[in-house]
Structures are given as C-alpha cells and as structure tokens.
C-alpha cells in the first residue's frame, strides 16, 4: 500500500509539473550506449559469425538469436536464462528470468525487464497481432486502444471480457490504472517519441518502456520478425519460430508473381494538404515489388529523420505521381475514402491523375496496420489489383468508385 501511495503521489506531482511545463524527470529515456571496447564476445551460432555479443559482468554468453529479415534488433542469450535484447540505435534491455537478480555491476543505461511479464500495457497496436500469433495475449493486461478499435478478434474479445483493460491511449495513459494493475512493461510505438514527457512519467513510476521500431524495417517479413523480440520477453521462442517460418513460406510462394511494369503510388493526405508517402527503402515498396508492380517513388528518402514516411507538397506529389497507373490511399493512418469525390475534395489536382481517369484508385482498410501477422495478404491483394484479378478475394484493398 505504501508503494502504491508513493507512486500515486509521484504521478500527481508529475502531472502538475507536466502541465506547467516544468517537468524535468529523472528517467533514463533516450538512447542508451551499446557496450563496446574489449567487452565483446563473438557469437557461437553458425551463420552468425558477424554478430558480437556485449560482455556483461557476471553472465556467461551462450548464443545469438537467428534472424532472417529483421535488422532493427538482436537478442543475445546468456546462461541461466538471461537475455539481452538490443534495439539498434535505441536501448538495450536485460531480460532477467524469474527468481534471478540483475548483475550487480550492470551498466545503468541497460533497462531491466523482470520475468514473468504478465501485466503489459500495449500501446503499440501493430504488436498485438504478434502476441496473438504466439498465444501471448495473457501477458497483456492493458491496452492503448478501446475494444471497438481492434480488428484482431482475440484482442477485441479479451477486452470485452475484461481480461484486457483500456488504460488510455499512448499520449494520455491512465497512470492510476498502470499503478493499480502493477504494470511491468509499457510497449509503445514510435509515436511516443512525439510526447517524451509521457514516456518520462511512465518511467518515473518504475515502469520500463519498450519502443517498437518494427515500422522501420525495409522488408515486410522484417516487421513480422519482431515477434521474436516479444517471444524473448515471454519465453515463447519456439512458438514464434514456428509462426514466422510459416509466414516465410507464404511470402516465398508469392515470389513468382510476374513483373507487370505498372507503377503504384501509396499515400495519404494530411489535414494541412501535404501528402505522406513511404520512403523507397520501406517495406511497403518492397511489397509492391514482390506483387509485380513498381513503386512510383524509386529514390525517395527522408532526409529529416529516420522515419519511413516522407511528406511532400501536393505539387511535388502531383509532378511525380500524376502518371502512376494505380493510386492506393493509405487509410490505416487516415480515414478511408469511399468515392473519387472524397479524394478530389482533398485536392482538385487529383482529377488530372491518370489512375483517377482510368478508375484505378484503391484504398486500404483500417485494419491493415494491425495485421503484422498476415503481410502476405496485402501482397496478394496488390497482385490482384495489378492483374485485374478477383476483387472478392482481397483482404485489405477495395476499389474506390
């Protein structure tokens, strides 16, 4: 009770400071240093010769997790069940097995995750499907989305049954619920980077924050392979491996789609009139490529940040995408468009687009961003679009008339 009262007082005090803009915090948010120098051990895994494991005093290194597509993280295994989850260019997390203690001289920049993790606050909606795929929903106690916002049946049902509670969206979490439910980990999307003081508030409650960076992966299966990072947290590596191998086979079966030479623009329009597209190295252009198409923005990079999204003025977008064979409106971020009139209402320039004139405007469903477990379905949809296939067989795309 004393601990709960103290933490609640911290929340109330922190909220006052946050409102006045005076919150300085004492959290460890931000990038953590990667252990370097002579504290390096070479991996023992075959096929992973270039990987090196950080040396941690008091722990003996065993092996490194094998990854096929994901480049944003690594997992290093040490004896007695310890694991180091290294999210590149961000933080390192030491996963401490139940009944064990963290090493006495552990680098203070390394975030400690104590197993079992059974009271997770999941604000990164894209990760829910991965937890579901490895039968890990029991570890999620709180959600950053309401039941009505979920397109994942098991997640929706768990919330309706009270097994998962709504604890506020990522930018406005309910700190009292996090405390009352003994939250042991907050999993956030990169959107939390836009509200750093919220992250500080959570961490000031001694709740570690893990930021999912799967959206930065350049291959669609790289994003899906983040299931292995979460599996390391829950000791569900075998289930994750089985699931991921199946998805790899699904994508492999699509590799024979013929190149149609048809161009595709994938985008949505901001409220300020700018157009948001994907960088050329993103996983969406890769999906278009696998499906037999050609992403219209072949050499586009985000020079301002590491985000996979790029903002263009309407004029810049028009100059490049006017003659694209197909337009796909990304409604996983924005609201769906249901008619060409909805599109031209955003800008009259769309009336001049080749795809608009030819009736080749398509839109994604709102569920797409949550569907990290079935990325092959979107590739199939795009191929059906490019080849005038059966639209009734599509999962995420629909034609805008």
């Amino acid at each position: 009770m004393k601990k709960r009262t103290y933490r609640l007082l911290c929340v109330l005090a922190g909220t006052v400071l946050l409102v006045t803009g005076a919150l300085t915090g004492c959290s460890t948010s931000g990038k953590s240093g990667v252990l370097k120098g002579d504290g390096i051990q070479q991996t023992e895994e075959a096929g992973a010769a270039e990987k090196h494991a950080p040396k941690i005093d008091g722990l003996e290194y065993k092996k490194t997790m094998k990854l096929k597509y994901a480049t944003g993280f690594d997992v290093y295994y040490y004896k007695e069940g310890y694991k180091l989850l290294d999210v590149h260019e961000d933080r390192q997390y030491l996963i401490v097995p139940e009944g064990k203690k963290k090493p006495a001289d552990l680098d203070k920049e390394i975030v400690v995750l104590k197993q079992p993790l059974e009271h997770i606050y999941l604000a990164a909606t894209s990760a829910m499907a991965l937890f579901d795929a490895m039968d890990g929903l029991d570890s999620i106690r709180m959600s950053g989305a309401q039941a009505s916002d979920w397109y994942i049946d098991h997640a929706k049902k768990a919330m309706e049954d009270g097994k998962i509670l709504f604890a506020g969206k990522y930018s406005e979490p309910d700190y009292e619920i996090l405390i009352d439910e003994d939250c042991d980990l907050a999993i956030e999307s990169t959107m939390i980077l836009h509200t750093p003081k919220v992250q500080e508030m959570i961490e000031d409650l001694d709740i570690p924050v893990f930021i999912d960076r799967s959206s930065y992966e350049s291959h669609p299966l790289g994003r899906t392979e983040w299931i292995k990072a979460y599996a390391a947290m829950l000791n569900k590596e075998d289930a994750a491996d089985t699931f991921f191998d199946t998805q790899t086979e699904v994508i492999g079966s699509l590799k024979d789609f013929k190149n149609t030479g048809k161009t595709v623009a994938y985008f949505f329009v901001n409220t300020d009139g700018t157009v948001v597209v994907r960088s050329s190295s993103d996983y969406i252009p890769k999906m278009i490529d696998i499906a037999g198409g050609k992403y219209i923005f072949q050499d586009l990079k985000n020079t301002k940040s590491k985000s996979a999204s790029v903002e263009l003025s309407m004029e810049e977008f028009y100059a490049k995408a006017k003659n694209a064979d197909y337009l796909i409106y990304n409604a996983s971020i924005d609201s769906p468009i249901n008619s060409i009139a909805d599109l031209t209402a955003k800008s009259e320039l769309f009336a001049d687009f080749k795809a608009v004139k030819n009736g080749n405007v398509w839109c994604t469903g709102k569920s797409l961003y949550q569907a990290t477990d079935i990325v092959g379905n979107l590739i199939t949809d795009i191929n059906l679009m490019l080849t005038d296939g059966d639209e009734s067989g599509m999962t995420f795309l629909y034609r805008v008339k």
Side-chain angles (χ1 to χ4, degrees):
M1 179 64 70
K2 289 182 179 180
K3 182 177 180 181
R4 180 188 181 280
T5 302
Y6 171 75
R7 294 172 78 188
L8 184 55
L9 287 173
C10 287
V11 171
L12 294 175
T15 302
V16 172
L17 291 172
L18 182 59
V19 171
T20 61
L23 181 62
T24 57
C26 57
S27 71
T28 58
S29 63
K31 294 182 179 180
S32 67
V34 177
L35 299 180
K36 297 180 179 179
D38 57 2
I40 295 292
Q41 300 179 33
Q42 189 158 344
T43 62
E44 300 167 355
E45 287 265 341
E50 296 182 0
K51 296 290 184 181
H52 293 78
K55 180 179 180 180
I56 300 178
D57 290 341
L59 299 184
E60 185 177 348
Y61 168 74
K62 287 179 59 180
K63 64 179 182 178
T64 299
M65 175 182 283
K66 290 183 177 180
L67 298 172
K68 296 180 180 179
Y69 295 96
T71 60
F73 73 93
D74 279 296
V75 178
Y76 303 100
Y77 292 84
Y78 299 80
K79 289 188 175 180
E80 298 188 46
Y82 290 88
K83 307 167 192 176
L84 184 73
L85 173 52
D86 181 3
V87 179
H88 302 167
E89 300 187 32
D90 190 21
R91 292 176 162 182
Q92 293 177 320
Y93 300 81
L94 183 67
I95 301 171
V96 177
E98 185 175 7
K100 300 289 184 178
K101 296 181 179 180
K102 71 174 184 178
D105 297 323
L106 184 67
D107 188 314
K108 65 180 181 180
E109 295 292 330
I110 297 178
V111 180
V112 174
L113 303 182
K114 296 181 179 179
Q115 292 178 327
L117 296 168
E118 298 175 330
H119 302 272
I120 294 173
Y121 166 56
L122 184 63
T125 55
S126 64
M128 182 68 85
L130 302 181
F131 276 85
D132 186 29
M134 61 181 174
D135 195 24
L137 290 191
D138 288 347
S139 295
I140 299 173
R141 177 55 176 158
M142 292 149 282
S143 166
Q146 303 262 19
S148 59
D149 295 325
W150 286 112
Y151 299 95
I152 300 167
D153 291 339
H154 290 159
K156 183 186 289 288
K157 181 71 162 55
M159 293 200 74
E160 292 173 346
D161 293 345
K163 295 179 180 179
I164 298 178
L165 306 177
F166 176 62
K169 62 181 184 178
Y170 78 94
S171 58
E172 298 177 353
D174 189 322
Y175 299 106
E176 288 196 48
I177 291 180
L178 298 186
I179 293 170
D180 289 342
E181 295 298 325
D182 294 322
C183 180
D184 45 31
L185 175 62
I187 298 177
E188 303 277 356
S189 72
T190 53
M191 293 297 291
I192 195 67
L193 299 176
H194 299 293
T195 56
K197 284 182 169 45
V198 173
Q199 181 178 347
E200 291 177 7
M201 290 280 288
I202 295 174
E203 291 173 331
D204 284 344
L205 296 175
D206 294 327
I207 300 172
V209 173
F210 179 87
I211 299 178
D212 181 295
R213 293 176 177 267
S214 61
S215 61
Y216 292 170
E217 294 290 343
S218 60
H219 192 284
L221 280 174
R223 187 167 178 241
T224 303
E225 198 165 18
W226 276 68
I227 190 174
K228 296 182 180 180
Y230 298 118
M233 297 178 184
L234 306 185
N235 296 332
K236 286 183 172 288
E237 285 92 338
D238 288 344
D241 286 344
T242 299
F243 165 79
F244 186 73
D245 288 345
T246 299
Q247 291 303 304
T248 300
E249 292 175 2
V250 170
I251 299 296
S253 68
L254 307 178
K255 70 180 185 302
D256 294 328
F257 283 148
K258 294 182 179 180
N259 190 316
T260 64
K262 297 177 181 178
T263 53
V264 180
Y266 186 94
F267 69 101
F268 73 90
V269 182
N270 262 330
T271 54
D272 63 3
T274 57
V275 183
V276 181
V277 300
R278 310 296 289 190
S279 70
S280 304
S281 60
D282 179 55
Y283 63 89
I284 291 292
K286 183 65 176 178
M287 286 181 165
I288 294 171
D289 179 68
I290 295 173
K294 181 180 180 182
Y295 186 53
I296 196 70
F297 299 101
Q298 286 292 297
D299 301 304
L300 189 63
K301 297 180 181 179
N302 189 331
T303 58
K304 297 180 180 179
S305 72
K306 294 182 179 179
S307 172
S309 297
V310 181
E311 288 190 11
L312 302 175
S313 68
M314 187 62 212
E315 291 72 20
E316 290 173 320
F317 181 76
Y318 176 85
K320 187 67 177 178
K322 175 186 176 182
N323 292 316
D325 294 307
Y326 294 85
L327 297 181
I328 299 179
Y329 196 83
N330 178 15
S332 63
I333 305 296
D334 192 21
S335 298
I337 56 173
N338 298 308
S339 66
I340 296 299
D342 288 344
L343 182 62
T344 55
K346 297 178 183 294
S347 174
E348 293 180 356
L349 290 175
F350 279 113
D352 293 333
F353 279 60
K354 174 182 176 181
V356 173
K357 294 178 178 179
N358 293 341
N360 285 324
V361 178
W362 297 73
C363 187
T364 70
K366 292 289 290 183
S367 65
L368 177 61
Y369 194 72
Q370 295 181 16
T372 47
D373 57 331
I374 49 173
V375 295
N377 293 46
L378 178 58
I379 297 173
T380 299
D381 285 3
I382 296 173
N383 178 259
L384 289 172
M385 177 191 76
L386 295 170
T387 58
D388 295 322
D390 184 2
E391 296 177 25
S392 66
M394 294 183 176
T395 304
F396 299 113
L397 293 183
Y398 63 90
R399 188 190 296 270
V400 178
K401 300 180 179 180

